[in-house]
Amino acid sequence: MNRAQGALWHHKGIIQAVGPTDEILSRAGKDAKQIDCQGRAMIPGLVDPHTHMCFAQTRENEFSERICGVPYLEILKRGGGILNSVDSVRRASVQDLLKNTLEHLKIALAHGSTTVEIKSGYGLDTENELKMLSVIELAGQKAAQDIAATFLGAHAIPREYKEHPDQYVDLIINEMIPKVADQGIASFADVFCEKGVFTPEQSRRILEAAMEHGLTPKLHADEVNDLGGGAMAADLKAVSADHLLAVSPKSIAKMAQAQVVAVLLPATAYSLKKTYAPARKMLNAGLAVALATDCNPGSSYVLSMPFAIGLAIMQMGLSVEEALTAATLNAAHALNLARKVGSLEPGKQADFCLLHGETPAVIAYRAGVNPMAAVYKKGRLAAST
Ligand SMILES: [Zn+2]
């Protein structure tokens, strides 16, 4: 913060006070180590509440197809898309998956993400879903960030169950969820509820089973078609419903009432050349809107939360303040972590970023470059550019 305007005092990684510089200096005492932030804007560490960054191979070749207009569901039908990622993850070792995930996390950290959610969902059998979740757990131990793990066994129907999707749903419910819960390696369970993937009925069965095992529900909802996913998320008291490009006003109202966080993924709409989610309508309806990268090898190979923030400001009509709140405090709420991270308040972790600019507007204003001058995690310098 500008020396004339404000300062933050932290001790052992926990914020003690935030306020006018003179006041903070007198409270912290003269022995406290001082860092001059040289007039840079300070923002909370960014929280990325929706990623699939644990994967084995990129799918750059498919990108060309997609930008020529082949719809994602068509790519899925041809057995491409996500199923290619499933093949490569099944072949990959824990070490290789961990190496990729840590590389992704390092890039995300340099772009200000100090808390990151990572989903499984490229294993699609018990062994490989558990393998992915164990990689995510290891990544959480090795990376600088706090990591939240989500079980997404219901990401797609695997080839071997193409003709019997309900049998795959049974496998998720009877075998995968109990094992995931037993091992304690995921906090959340998620389902891709969409035409040609999991029906609303199947999605509900899976999430209800997950809740019985203590997992908190999330939902990939109403991305391509309005299947009432947002309303179902509200019904189940899910912590978030994500994507929501095709969400109905009725679902928006139900989500607002049930305090479900709307996690919007503008980098995916950008990459798929789709109309952005109706963020303004959501905000007007009193819905808490969060932003995420959706980093994945198919529809959004984006690790930069500043890029998502810039899109939200320039393409979705959010103000700088709304976009920043969406990428910090609301994103923390989407992970049930708002007591620990997401804002610069006493008692929370000293996760913060210094920007190459005087205000957060620089994130959208100076597009295409990393706006982060320095990223601090629990009070320690974790990345700088
Ligand atoms: Zn996703």
Side-chain angles (χ1 to χ4, degrees):
M1 276 186 188
N2 190 308
R3 198 174 164 76
Q5 290 173 352
L8 177 146
W9 170 33
H10 67 83
H11 181 63
K12 290 187 175 168
I14 302 295
I15 297 172
Q16 306 297 309
V18 185
T21 305
D22 292 348
E23 187 190 311
I24 298 301
L25 284 177
S26 70
R27 281 186 64 186
K30 60 180 184 325
D31 291 341
K33 187 181 161 197
Q34 288 181 38
I35 296 172
D36 184 355
C37 298
Q38 300 173 327
R40 293 187 167 115
M42 178 188 286
I43 61 169
L46 301 176
V47 178
D48 189 347
H50 183 137
T51 87
H52 309 255
M53 66 166 68
C54 175
F55 59 83
Q57 285 175 4
T58 57
R59 305 204 311 259
E60 226 169 300
N61 51 342
E62 278 175 27
F63 183 74
S64 306
E65 276 187 12
R66 282 199 299 98
I67 59 173
C68 290
V70 181
Y72 179 60
L73 292 183
E74 181 58 34
I75 290 174
L76 269 183
K77 256 189 223 159
R78 293 177 190 179
I82 190 171
L83 296 179
N84 282 352
S85 293
V86 173
D87 291 340
S88 55
V89 163
R90 285 178 176 179
R91 286 194 302 266
S93 66
V94 165
Q95 285 74 16
D96 287 346
L97 281 175
L98 181 61
K99 184 168 161 273
N100 287 356
T101 308
L102 289 173
E103 276 171 15
H104 290 148
L105 282 168
K106 199 172 162 193
I107 296 166
L109 184 69
H111 289 80
S113 293
T114 48
T115 302
V116 176
E117 184 257 19
I118 310 177
K119 300 174 196 295
S120 68
Y122 296 122
L124 305 189
D125 62 29
T126 305
E127 181 193 340
N128 287 293
E129 283 297 307
L130 291 173
K131 178 173 85 179
M132 284 192 75
L133 288 171
S134 71
V135 168
I136 295 166
E137 187 177 42
L138 285 171
Q141 290 161 9
K142 289 181 185 285
Q145 288 103 326
D146 284 306
I147 305 296
T150 298
F151 167 62
L152 180 59
H155 197 188
I157 309 286
R159 280 195 195 92
E160 57 272 28
Y161 286 94
K162 202 175 165 211
E163 305 304 323
H164 311 282
D166 278 322
Q167 287 180 19
Y168 183 60
V169 173
D170 290 341
L171 180 77
I172 292 172
I173 291 173
N174 299 326
E175 192 174 294
M176 292 189 196
I177 288 172
K179 288 199 173 167
V180 169
D182 259 11
Q183 295 189 16
I185 48 176
S187 306
F188 304 98
D190 195 346
V191 177
F192 189 4
C193 178
E194 186 54 69
K195 263 187 199 165
V197 196
F198 293 90
T199 66
E201 293 73 27
Q202 290 168 335
S203 304
R204 183 182 280 271
R205 276 186 65 208
I206 292 166
L207 290 182
E208 283 177 346
M211 288 159 75
E212 277 173 29
H213 282 84
L215 297 166
T216 301
K218 284 177 163 286
L219 191 65
H220 282 63
D222 306 329
E223 179 181 359
V224 186
N225 299 286
D226 172 24
L227 300 185
M232 180 164 64
D235 230 32
L236 293 172
K237 299 260 184 301
V239 69
S240 73
D242 304 31
H243 283 291
L244 303 168
L245 273 61
V247 71
S248 69
K250 205 171 133 192
S251 286
I252 289 176
K254 285 191 175 171
M255 284 175 62
Q257 205 173 21
Q259 296 191 312
V260 178
V261 180
V263 176
L264 307 185
L265 313 165
T268 311
Y270 162 85
S271 181
L272 297 176
K273 295 190 185 181
K274 292 219 176 132
T275 306
Y276 293 85
R280 200 72 255 160
K281 282 185 192 161
M282 294 175 183
L283 289 164
N284 291 344
L287 202 50
V289 167
L291 292 168
T293 61
D294 194 23
C295 176
N296 75 80
S299 57
S300 164
Y301 191 22
V302 169
L303 287 156
S304 165
M305 280 294 283
F307 180 66
I309 293 169
L311 287 176
I313 293 168
M314 303 307 292
Q315 302 292 328
M316 300 169 86
L318 268 66
S319 67
V320 172
E321 292 76 14
E322 285 167 342
L324 194 59
T325 306
T328 53
L329 189 56
N330 288 357
H333 276 289
L335 298 177
N336 281 337
L337 290 175
R339 260 185 270 170
K340 199 164 93 165
V341 300
S343 58
L344 301 177
E345 290 178 79
K348 287 197 180 183
Q349 281 180 191
D351 297 357
F352 56 92
C353 308
L354 299 176
L355 302 180
H356 284 297
E358 294 172 5
T359 72
V362 75
I363 297 171
Y365 172 52
R366 212 173 160 205
V369 295
N370 187 356
M372 302 298 163
V375 181
Y376 287 79
K377 181 66 185 173
K378 295 179 190 163
R380 291 186 180 201
L381 182 65
S384 61
T385 56

